[in-house]
């Protein structure tokens, strides 16, 4: 296309807690053939509504890139869908204008959170970690096939991010490979009887964030 701006990547914080995304930035690219990209807008969209416009100006020739700092975004509801869109007047291709599913929004939770994992036929591929305000709270790996893992935490106030990994990249969906049973991962807010996140096919990584609003000591039960 003779005029085409591309939103190439998201470079800011991958999660937010307490309704605030502390740092957001994106990389833009001039995908035009022959035109110079000298100004454009980056739209921040929350749950389908435009909430902020960031203006950019510079000089990008074909395939050159630039980083655009969006900064802090406040007032975000629990588990919001946050996306970004590049707006360049006369852009002839809008298929590369939007970045979606790049940020995980936290949900509110009590301090009593549990984790249940049933591994699939390749348990050794599964690992996970829980990261809190002061670093790694807990983690696990080295499991057997179809092994059950049950954990309970009584967590301090703050923001928590849970990651589950599959080394092969097919999540716990063993059934796709034949006569095998799927595994499952479920993170639950026991205080409110609310499932924070559950997944079977999360490919190489599944991520959830939650905000604990109560203060208590950390403990673990297996």
């Amino acid at each position: 296309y003779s005029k085409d701006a591309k939103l190439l990547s998201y470079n800011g914080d991958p999660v937010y807690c307490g309704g605030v995304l502390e740092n957001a930035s994106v990389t833009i690219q001039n995908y035009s053939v022959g035109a110079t990209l000298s100004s454009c807008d980056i739209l921040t969209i929350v749950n389908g509504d435009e909430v902020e416009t960031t203006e950019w100006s510079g000089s990008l020739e074909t395939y050159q890139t630039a980083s655009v700092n969006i900064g802090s975004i406040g007032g975000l509801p629990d588990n919001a869908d946050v996306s970004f869109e590049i707006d360049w007047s006369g852009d002839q291709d809008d298929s590369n204008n939007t970045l979606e599913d790049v940020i995980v929004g936290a949900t509110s939770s009590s301090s009593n959170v549990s984790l249940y994992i049933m591994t699939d036929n390749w348990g050794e591929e599964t690992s996970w970690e829980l990261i809190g305000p002061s670093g790694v709270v807990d983690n696990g790996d080295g499991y057997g096939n179809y092994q059950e893992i049950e954990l309970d935490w009584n967590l301090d106030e703050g923001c928590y991010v849970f990651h589950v990994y599959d080394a092969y990249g097919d999540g716990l969906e063993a059934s796709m490979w034949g006569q095998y049973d799927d595994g499952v991962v479920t993170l639950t807010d026991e205080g409110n009887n609310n499932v924070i996140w559950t997944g079977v096919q999360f490919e190489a990584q599944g991520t959830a964030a939650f905000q604990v609003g109560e203060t208590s000591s950390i403990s673990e039960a297996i």
Side-chain angles (χ1 to χ4, degrees):
Y1 295 92
S2 60
K3 194 170 186 182
D4 183 17
K6 181 177 183 178
L7 204 50
L8 189 63
S9 64
Y10 173 74
N11 314 311
D13 294 339
V15 299
Y16 72 82
C17 276
V20 179
L21 179 66
E22 297 291 347
N23 175 52
S25 66
V26 298
T27 297
I28 63 174
Q29 183 176 36
N30 183 2
Y31 222 55
S32 309
V33 178
T36 300
L37 175 57
S38 57
S39 65
C40 64
D41 292 334
I42 304 300
L43 312 180
T44 300
I45 301 169
V46 177
N47 291 337
D49 296 323
E50 181 184 334
V51 299
E52 184 175 318
T53 299
T54 303
E55 298 179 354
W56 176 86
S57 61
S59 181
L60 298 180
E61 301 303 324
T62 300
Y63 301 138
Q64 288 186 325
T65 63
S67 179
V68 181
N69 181 36
I70 297 170
S72 177
I73 304 170
L76 297 172
D78 284 358
N79 202 25
D81 180 6
V82 182
S83 61
F84 302 95
E85 181 178 334
I86 188 169
D87 182 15
W88 186 26
S89 179
D91 194 330
Q92 295 173 312
D93 180 15
D94 60 6
S95 67
N96 54 16
N97 287 7
T98 304
L99 290 174
E100 298 177 329
D101 301 323
V102 292
I103 298 169
V104 176
T107 58
S108 299
S109 174
S110 73
S111 60
N112 186 8
V113 176
S114 70
L115 172 65
Y116 175 80
I117 300 176
M118 169 65 81
T119 64
D120 62 8
N121 196 62
W122 294 276
E124 72 278 3
E125 296 174 358
T126 301
S127 61
W128 60 272
E129 61 181 345
L130 178 67
I131 302 171
S134 300
V136 176
V137 176
D138 205 350
N139 57 65
D141 59 13
Y143 299 120
N145 299 345
Y146 300 114
Q147 180 177 344
E148 286 188 289
I149 300 97
E150 297 182 82
L151 298 170
D152 291 290
W153 299 292
N154 192 17
L155 300 170
D156 288 332
E157 181 180 3
C159 182
Y160 292 82
V161 180
F162 172 78
H163 300 292
V164 59
Y165 308 101
D166 182 81
Y168 189 78
D170 61 352
L172 300 182
E173 193 178 13
S175 61
M176 72 167 66
W177 303 109
Q179 301 302 312
Y180 303 109
D181 294 327
D182 292 339
V184 68
V185 180
T186 303
L187 190 69
T188 303
D189 170 10
E190 296 291 348
N192 295 311
N193 194 29
N194 177 50
V195 174
I196 297 171
W197 185 88
T198 188
V200 174
Q201 175 49 281
F202 48 84
E203 299 182 345
Q205 179 179 324
T207 297
F210 59 96
Q211 178 82 27
V212 173
E214 301 177 12
T215 303
S216 57
S217 60
I218 296 177
S219 63
E220 174 183 301
I222 301 176

